[in-house]
Amino acid sequence: MIVTVTMNPAIDKTVEIDRLLPGGLNRIKKVEYDAGGKGINVSKTIRELGGESIATGFLGGNAGKTIQSVLDERKIRNDFIWVEGETRTNTKVFEENGAVTELNEPGPVIGEAQMGELMKKLEGYAGNDTLFILAGSIPSGTDKQIYAQIIRRVHEKGAKVLLDADGELFRNALAAGPDIIKPNRTELEEYAGIDYRASDKELLELARKLMEYGPETVAVSMGKSGAMMVRKGYEVKSPALSVKAHSTVGAGDAMVAALAYSWDHQSDDDETVRLCMAASAGAVTTIGTKPPTRELVDTLKEQVIIERIGE
């Protein structure tokens, strides 16, 4: 069972214009709306791949009702805690030249009682066959140790955790020993205090060091340079696939979804890499945070190249 946790969901509003004119009139060519937030994006992609998940976290107001309606329509099981205030709307402005400007709202403040309710809900789902996905930002005022606290609590019940976070959230959660982590190149460089573009060799060494905290899998997404996956006895790099890109938004979430789907289906290492690369490449061809179709992913899987490294 896969449970995605989205503490700060959003309605993703994707706006397309020719060129952004700050302080001037901007005429919109196209607008798309979708249920968003990293965990929700992961659940959407898992569903498109043919898998199942339970989406949970916090929702509020009319925006929250809209997100729940979208998930219900897509037959994605959801079990959110309802809070006062309005779930945020995040606006992404895409220019014809490929530039993206993001305007993200803060979202509602979550109290201790509501956080305790979520923790109790997660413990109820936790078991030896459960993978929790902790992804994205947390509500304003929430303890930056929250992911670490969740990891420790669900580990006590035998569950696994896939972590996709950055900054202080990532550092704190890493100390609790998540089972799978998916930092991107920038996040890994920031974690290591590197102020330049790290080489593949340096990224591999960093991934190996991260495994000392307990993760069995470290997947490093590297944008146009592809991705790297490190497991005990298995260290590979896969070049990025050549696709007609619309936006890189959601590519990382698609890779997380592929990692979770592969875990749930007990896929071997190479098959996991192929699905991750194909899903993330497919995601960049879609508008906004819409997931790629399974048909597209299967087509792209045939193009994936896996290179052994670190030998």
Side-chain angles (χ1 to χ4, degrees):
M1 177 171 61
I2 302 170
V3 180
T4 64
V5 183
T6 311
M7 293 197 183
N8 215 5
I11 290 180
D12 284 332
K13 180 180 179 182
T14 303
V15 175
E16 294 188 13
I17 61 175
D18 289 328
R19 182 168 65 90
L20 182 64
L21 299 175
L25 174 64
N26 291 273
R27 298 193 182 279
I28 296 172
K29 296 164 59 178
K30 188 175 183 180
V31 180
E32 293 276 348
Y33 293 89
D34 203 357
K38 292 184 75 65
I40 289 175
N41 292 341
V42 171
S43 278
K44 291 189 302 184
T45 304
I46 289 173
R47 179 64 181 172
E48 198 64 46
L49 291 174
E52 296 184 0
S53 68
I54 301 170
T56 189
F58 302 106
L59 290 178
N62 290 326
K65 292 177 182 177
T66 299
I67 289 175
Q68 185 180 55
S69 177
V70 169
L71 295 176
D72 288 342
E73 288 175 3
R74 297 186 181 187
K75 294 181 171 55
I76 297 172
R77 185 178 168 190
N78 56 90
D79 186 15
F80 284 86
I81 293 169
W82 288 87
V83 300
E84 294 182 3
E86 191 76 19
T87 292
R88 61 191 181 145
T89 296
N90 290 344
T91 304
K92 296 173 176 59
V93 182
F94 288 86
E95 299 179 59
E96 196 170 19
N97 64 4
V100 182
T101 301
E102 298 192 45
L103 304 171
N104 290 353
E105 297 178 6
V109 175
I110 305 300
E112 289 185 14
Q114 294 160 328
M115 193 61 72
E117 187 179 349
L118 177 64
M119 189 71 78
K120 185 177 180 180
K121 187 183 293 290
L122 298 183
E123 287 182 305
Y125 283 121
N128 293 329
D129 63 344
T130 309
L131 175 68
F132 289 94
I133 297 175
L134 304 180
S137 65
I138 59 176
S140 176
T142 300
D143 188 343
K144 293 291 182 65
Q145 291 282 350
I146 187 61
Y147 280 172
Q149 293 168 8
I150 291 173
I151 292 169
R152 293 188 179 102
R153 295 277 281 274
V154 301
H155 270 175
E156 290 177 0
K157 292 181 174 288
K160 303 288 188 180
V161 177
L162 192 167
L163 175 71
D164 182 16
D166 60 6
E168 189 176 355
L169 267 179
F170 176 77
R171 290 192 297 272
N172 293 342
L174 188 62
D179 303 276
I180 305 171
I181 57 176
K182 194 219 68 67
N184 62 34
R185 173 192 288 275
T186 302
E187 291 164 352
L188 200 52
E189 290 169 345
E190 178 188 350
Y191 169 78
I194 296 175
D195 59 0
Y196 57 87
R197 185 178 176 83
S199 67
D200 285 359
K201 183 177 180 180
E202 289 173 308
L203 291 176
L204 175 59
E205 286 301 320
L206 286 171
R208 287 171 173 169
K209 289 180 180 179
L210 289 177
M211 290 185 71
E212 295 175 3
Y213 286 91
E216 299 169 357
T217 301
V218 179
V220 183
S221 53
M222 303 184 297
K224 293 181 180 179
S225 297
M228 187 180 296
M229 183 172 291
V230 178
R231 289 176 169 169
K232 186 176 181 180
Y234 184 81
E235 298 177 342
V236 302
K237 178 185 176 183
S238 186
L241 300 182
S242 179
V243 295
K244 185 177 180 181
H246 186 277
S247 163
T248 59
V249 174
D253 299 337
M255 182 171 287
V256 170
L259 283 167
Y261 179 94
S262 297
W263 176 90
D264 198 38
H265 287 72
Q266 300 181 345
S267 302
D268 63 31
D269 293 337
D270 282 358
E271 176 62 18
T272 298
V273 172
R274 291 190 185 95
L275 189 66
C276 285
M277 297 306 298
S280 57
V284 306
T285 69
T286 68
I287 297 173
T289 56
K290 295 186 183 303
T293 64
R294 180 72 206 215
E295 182 181 12
L296 174 59
V297 171
D298 286 341
T299 298
L300 292 173
K301 276 174 61 180
E302 299 176 3
Q303 303 173 28
V304 174
I305 297 172
I306 300 175
E307 305 169 351
R308 265 57 183 181
I309 56 176
E311 297 177 355

